[in-house]
């Protein structure tokens, strides 16, 4: 009981971002991640998580969630991968929105960069387009209204845009919507929820490998951030959906306590990881966090 109380009071989690110099082919050939190169931690926050890599004018950037419990809500930032967190800059929409933000799902469509941040407090799923710099983002559509979606993710398959999302009140549910245009309107899939299990919630960028599409899913069977399972999309159309589990990715030392986002770059795989941290200030930080939620 004393040990449990000690952990509850003084132990918390710190998330960080890392990368492997690894292609998708190598990921499957090696049946897992190679050694992760972790960025020096951002001491100005508790969470550097939900990373998404993208290229702008030939430079590799990462969009991610930055969270400092003493300041309350998460915000989405951009870093140059080579520079790390010392020169992080906030994404422009993140300065304007008052809600908590995380999971900046950044993807390219027809040469244009888009982002879908988690804005479940607004009960809306919003789409933003990249402006002149990697830090400038302009709202261009509300994809779903009256829906508190988290970890919303889009992929273009067979001339259709498919939007995967989970309601914040139930992480065991995955809903699917589809549209002919990236900005919608989106129609709910007839089988919603298409997945109902501890492997429902999205865990990063949907990618293609050897003519198959894969959906990264969080494995919540043991705990939040326990692992990532790559789900092969076997069938997807407006009346059916089927997927199968292929490869499970596990956390790595020293961030062996959690893994819940993966992003694919040019022979790079970006992930996040969680480690446990013990501090005498943790009880106060936990109180402040509760006051903000």
């Amino acid at each position: 009981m004393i040990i449990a109380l000690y952990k509850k009071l003084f132990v918390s989690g710190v998330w960080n971002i890392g990368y492997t110099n690894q292609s998708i082919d190598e990921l499957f050939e090696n049946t897992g991640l190679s050694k992760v190169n972790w960025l020096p931690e951002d001491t100005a926050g508790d969470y550097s998580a939900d990373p998404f890599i993208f290229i702008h004018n030939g430079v590799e950037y990462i969009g991610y969630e930055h969270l400092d419990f003493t300041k309350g809500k998460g915000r989405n930032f951009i870093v140059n991968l080579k520079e790390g967190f010392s020169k992080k800059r906030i994404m422009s929409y993140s300065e304007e929105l008052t809600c908590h933000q995380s999971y900046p799902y950044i993807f390219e469509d027809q040469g244009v960069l888009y982002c879908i941040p988690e804005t479940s407090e607004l009960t809306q799923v919003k789409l933003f387009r990249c402006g002149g710099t990697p830090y400038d983002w302009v709202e261009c559509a509300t994809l779903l209204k009256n829906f508190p979606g988290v970890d919303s993710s889009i992929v273009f398959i067979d001339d259709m845009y498919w939007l995967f999302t989970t309601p914040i009140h139930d992480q065991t549910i995955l809903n699917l919507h589809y549209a002919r245009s990236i900005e919608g309107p989106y129609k709910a899939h007839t089988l919603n929820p298409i997945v109902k299990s501890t492997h429902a919630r999205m865990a990063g960028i949907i990618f293609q490998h050897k003519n198959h599409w894969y959906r990264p899913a969080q494995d919540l069977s043991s705990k939040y951030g326990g692992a990532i399972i790559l789900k092969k999309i076997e069938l997807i159309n407006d009346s059916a959906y089927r997927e199968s589990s292929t490869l499970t990715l596990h956390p790595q030392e020293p961030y062996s306590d959690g893994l819940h986002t993966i992003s694919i770059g040019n022979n790079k795989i970006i992930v996040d990881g969680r480690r446990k941290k013990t501090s005498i200030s943790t009880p106060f930080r936990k109180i402040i966090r509760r006051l903000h939620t």
Side-chain angles (χ1 to χ4, degrees):
M1 176 180 285
I2 294 177
I3 294 176
L5 180 61
Y6 173 83
K7 289 182 177 179
K8 184 176 181 179
L9 287 175
F10 298 104
V11 178
S12 63
V14 176
W15 286 86
N16 193 19
I17 293 169
Y19 65 92
T20 69
N21 294 307
Q22 190 177 18
S23 68
I24 289 297
D25 286 343
E26 291 169 335
L27 177 71
F28 280 90
E29 289 168 2
N30 298 340
T31 63
L33 295 166
S34 60
K35 180 176 174 56
V36 177
N37 303 286
W38 297 102
L39 300 182
E41 285 184 6
D42 185 358
T43 56
D46 300 279
Y47 278 21
S48 296
D50 295 350
F52 288 89
I53 189 170
F54 65 99
I55 296 177
H56 189 279
N57 291 337
V59 179
E60 292 177 315
Y61 294 92
I62 294 175
Y64 69 101
E65 176 198 357
H66 169 82
L67 175 62
D68 179 350
F69 286 150
T70 63
K71 295 182 180 179
K73 301 179 188 299
R75 293 291 181 263
N76 289 338
F77 278 73
I78 298 288
V79 292
N80 181 315
L81 181 58
K82 290 184 178 180
E83 295 177 345
F85 300 117
S86 62
K87 295 185 179 180
K88 66 179 183 290
R89 289 180 58 182
I90 195 168
M91 300 175 75
S92 58
Y93 69 74
S94 201
E95 290 184 297
E96 300 164 3
L97 297 176
T98 58
C99 66
H100 169 80
Q101 301 139 50
S102 62
Y103 197 81
Y105 186 89
I106 298 173
F107 65 103
E108 183 176 330
D109 181 63
Q110 299 183 34
V112 179
L113 285 168
Y114 291 94
C115 177
I116 307 175
E118 188 262 291
T119 56
S120 59
E121 284 183 23
L122 303 179
T123 63
Q124 293 179 338
V125 176
K126 291 179 172 291
L127 178 70
F128 294 82
R129 182 179 64 251
C130 186
T133 76
Y135 316 102
D136 298 323
W137 297 81
V138 180
E139 183 176 347
C140 53
T142 297
L143 305 182
L144 297 178
K145 298 179 180 179
N146 302 316
F147 184 83
V150 295
D151 299 352
S152 302
S153 309
I154 275 185
V155 64
F156 185 69
I157 301 176
D158 295 336
D159 298 321
M160 195 78 75
Y161 292 92
W162 303 95
L163 173 61
F164 297 79
T165 188
T166 289
I168 194 170
H169 58 271
D170 190 346
Q171 297 186 50
T172 66
I173 281 178
L174 182 67
N175 285 345
L176 182 60
H177 296 76
Y178 57 93
R180 291 290 181 185
S181 167
I182 192 170
E183 296 185 11
Y186 282 81
K187 183 177 181 181
H189 198 280
T190 186
L191 296 182
N192 278 345
I194 58 165
V195 177
K196 189 167 178 58
S197 78
T198 55
H199 303 164
R201 188 170 175 175
M202 291 295 303
I205 200 76
I206 301 168
F207 64 92
Q208 193 172 24
H209 172 63
K210 293 186 177 179
N211 297 320
H212 293 286
W213 288 96
Y214 291 83
R215 178 186 78 84
Q218 294 190 43
D219 181 2
L220 304 176
S221 58
S222 60
K223 64 178 181 178
Y224 178 73
I228 292 175
I229 300 178
L230 301 182
K231 302 280 190 175
K232 181 191 289 187
I233 298 176
E234 305 280 2
L235 175 64
I236 185 169
N237 59 45
D238 60 4
S239 61
Y241 181 82
R242 188 172 69 248
E243 65 181 24
S244 60
S245 299
T246 57
L247 184 62
T248 299
L249 308 178
H250 298 283
Q252 279 193 22
E253 293 284 355
Y255 298 91
S256 56
D257 196 50
L259 167 71
H260 70 4
T261 309
I262 183 172
S263 179
I264 311 300
N266 182 20
N267 290 324
K268 280 190 179 68
I269 296 175
I270 313 297
V271 295
D272 55 13
R274 182 182 188 270
R275 70 174 178 86
K276 292 180 180 178
K277 175 183 178 182
T278 303
S279 172
I280 59 173
S281 67
T282 298
F284 304 101
R285 298 177 70 83
K286 288 184 176 182
I287 290 172
I288 292 173
R289 182 184 183 185
R290 285 183 176 275
L291 292 175
H292 282 301
T293 56

